[in-house]
Structures are given as structure tokens and as C-alpha cells.
Amino acid sequence: MISLAIHGGAGTIPTAALDPAFADAHHAALRAALAAGWAVLSAGGAALDAVTAAVMSLEDEPLFNAARGAVFTSAGRLEMDAAIMDGATRAAGAVAGICGPRNPILAARAVMEHSGTVLLTGPGAEDFLRTQDIVFMPSEYFTTQRRLDALNLELARRAAGAPDTRSDADRHGTVGAVARDAAGHLAAGTSTGGMTAKLPGRVGDTPIFGAGTFADDAICAVSCTGTGEVFIRFTAAAEIAARLRHAGQGLVAAAGGVIAELGAVGGDGGLIAMGRDGPPALPFNSSGMYRGFVAANGVFHTAIHREPYRRGTLQAPV
Ligand code: ASP
């Protein structure tokens, strides 16, 4: 049975600071991304295309830290990472440290489909992508005042040697999607600007297969968000797959167990995971995770913190 889950990252605005209109905007953006992916799946389309459509929608939305609205490095530049994986074939493609493609997820897909390799970085990736059917945008397109403010605050804090009291929203964020199509194929996609004021050249878990992104029809599809270094060191997505495959665990236990263990070693964040059947799992150990899924009855569910899910369609609540 078709199924779809998305996330807009674990970098959520604290409940107290989130005014209702801003919360509504996040829910609407999540619903739009669910609608984009669900339209593909419900028309009999491939999980890979559903994931691509959902992630593109989230990338185009400046509320989230990916593509438009991405965070800045400590040098004030934009360096984006993205990855996509096809569970049917275990084909995979990723980009790291790029700025230019309007939709880094399409860049990752071009790497998967046309480069003959799996991961391209920086200027080499951008040169390759210019030979592909990829739309480029100037850096102003991706730039938002909110992310510039977050960078300047963090640089001032570092210069003053003050303790880090930033909210998750000022630190990081990511977008991602996992899907299962009518043929039972799974796919995962993830896209991020990374961590605010990250070291230039730093690459997070997003484009590392088995860490931030993974899909295999025989096991599961996973897209992660959070402190990428920990997700890489503990091979978060591969660990979930291993528990499903070798330890006989169910999706909720495997995904929730890994997120709880990462939290204990400083890995703040969450993930979305899709199994071969049944509903997705969306665990997180952070204060929140922008997230959504479509239930078997076609109703969209979206949430930010630990409140009950809002239920609705693209147009209206139900
Ligand atoms: N995982 C991302 C990274 O480390 C950031 C995030 O998801 O918040 O680049």
C-alpha cells in the first residue's frame, strides 16, 4: 500500500516563541509537500518521483533549512548537501557543499542517474551539474534575513566566548521524504543547508548513505535530521536497517531505539522511516521535528512538537 512521510528538520522554533500564524505557515508548507508527493503516489507513480516532488516542495519553501532559506557557513557562504536513494536498485546519488542548483535534490538525482558515481562535491559537482538539465539560481535567491541574523548572532557569541543558548531553530534544520509506491518500491531523499556557522567544507550526514539517507526495498527507507556528526559516527540509517534485518525488530522499535541511543551521545534530532508495509515511524529526541505523513485513509497529518497531529487535506482541516 502506498505511504509517504516527510520532515522539515529537527531545528524547530520553541513552542513559546512560535506564534500561531508562524505555526500555521509551517503546517501549510508541510501539507503542500505531502500533497506534492501524494499526487505522484496516488496516480501510480514511483516512490523515487514522490520523494523528489515532496523534497522539492520543501526546498522551495524558505521556512526550512534547505535550498531557499538555507543556513550560512561561518564564512557567510551557502554550502548545501542533498541525497536521494532508490530502494528498488539501491542506486544512489548525492551532492555536498554546492550552491547554485535551485533544487539540490534534483542535483543529487542527476548524480545518481547520469554521473556514473555516487557523491560529487563543491566546484566539481557544480561543473557536472551545469552539463545537466538543472536550473541554477543566484545566491540571493537562497538568502533569507532570518538565516543571516542567526549567523551574525552565532559569530558574535563565539567572539564573546558566551555559552551556546541558541534554540534548535537557530542551529540547524533539514528536509526529507520517504515513500513506498504501489509496486512496493521504497525511496528516500534528504536536503539541507547543514548547521548554522558550520566550518566551510564541513559535510553532514545528509549525503552520507547509511547515515542520513538510505533506501532498500527489502528493508526500509530512512531520512534523518539532527547533529550530523553523530548520525555519521553511529551510521544511523544503516543501524535501523541492521536491526530490522538481523535483530527481528519492528520499524517503530528500531527507529525509536536508534534515536534514543543517539540522543544519549549528543545526537539531537530525529528521522522518518518507511518499512515494507505498515505506517511510517517518525521518532525524534529533540524538542520537535517538523513532520507529516499521509495515513492509509488519505488524511494528511502534520505536527511540530509533541502536540497531537493536525489532520487535514491540502485545502482544509478534517
Ligand atoms: N543533519 C544536518 C546536518 O548535520 C542538519 C540537520 O538536520 O538539522 O547537516
Side-chain angles (χ1 to χ4, degrees):
M1 188 188 287
I2 61 174
S3 191
L4 175 69
I6 60 168
H7 70 79
T12 52
I13 295 169
T15 316
L18 186 63
D19 73 64
F22 209 47
D24 289 349
H26 284 83
H27 281 278
L30 291 168
R31 280 199 305 274
L34 287 174
W38 196 247
V40 174
L41 291 176
S42 50
L48 196 64
D49 293 329
V51 159
T52 304
V55 172
M56 284 177 70
S57 172
L58 294 162
E59 286 179 336
D60 290 345
E61 169 54 64
L63 290 172
F64 303 115
N65 172 19
R68 195 165 174 217
V71 301
F72 292 88
T73 68
S74 60
R77 285 198 281 275
L78 294 157
E79 296 182 3
M80 302 168 202
D81 304 337
I84 192 158
M85 189 159 182
D86 180 0
T89 57
R90 283 182 76 145
V95 287
I98 63 160
C99 183
R102 174 185 169 128
N103 290 105
I105 196 71
L106 291 181
R109 194 156 168 177
V111 170
M112 178 176 91
E113 291 173 344
H114 304 299
S115 75
T117 189
V118 166
L119 171 58
L120 286 176
T121 67
E126 290 163 17
D127 288 348
F128 164 74
L129 293 164
R130 285 188 195 281
T131 70
Q132 302 295 305
D133 188 19
I134 295 282
V135 175
F136 275 65
M137 299 299 265
S139 59
E140 299 78 56
Y141 166 79
F142 303 102
T143 300
T144 55
Q145 193 57 46
R146 175 177 160 212
R147 302 302 189 186
L148 283 173
D149 291 347
L151 171 66
N152 291 332
L153 258 173
E154 173 58 5
L155 294 181
R157 181 194 74 77
R158 287 181 189 175
D164 190 354
T165 55
R166 291 175 298 161
S167 74
D168 287 341
D170 286 337
R171 276 176 218 266
H172 60 106
T174 287
V175 307
V178 291
R180 185 176 62 233
D181 64 28
H185 297 309
L186 301 177
T190 317
S191 178
T192 190
M195 310 290 287
T196 301
K198 65 186 179 182
L199 210 56
R202 178 263 187 193
V203 177
D205 59 316
T206 295
I208 309 299
F209 295 102
T213 307
F214 179 76
D216 182 343
D217 280 6
I219 320 170
C220 63
V222 178
S223 170
C224 300
T225 171
T227 35
E229 285 71 11
V230 181
F231 283 69
I232 294 173
R233 287 165 47 224
F234 288 82
T235 58
E239 178 62 26
I240 293 168
R243 291 178 189 199
L244 291 170
R245 178 174 256 180
H246 305 298
Q249 290 187 7
L251 191 70
V252 170
V258 167
I259 279 301
E261 288 170 27
L262 289 188
V265 291
D268 294 335
L271 58 86
I272 51 174
M274 185 71 72
R276 296 167 57 185
D277 44 39
L282 303 89
F284 57 97
N285 62 35
S286 37
S287 60
M289 177 171 78
Y290 301 114
R291 63 198 185 281
F293 67 95
V294 184
N297 60 3
V299 174
F300 293 3
H301 289 62
T302 57
I304 299 177
H305 299 106
R306 294 184 189 276
E307 77 284 8
Y309 278 94
R310 280 194 202 177
R311 293 149 48 89
T313 62
L314 176 61
Q315 289 78 22
V318 294

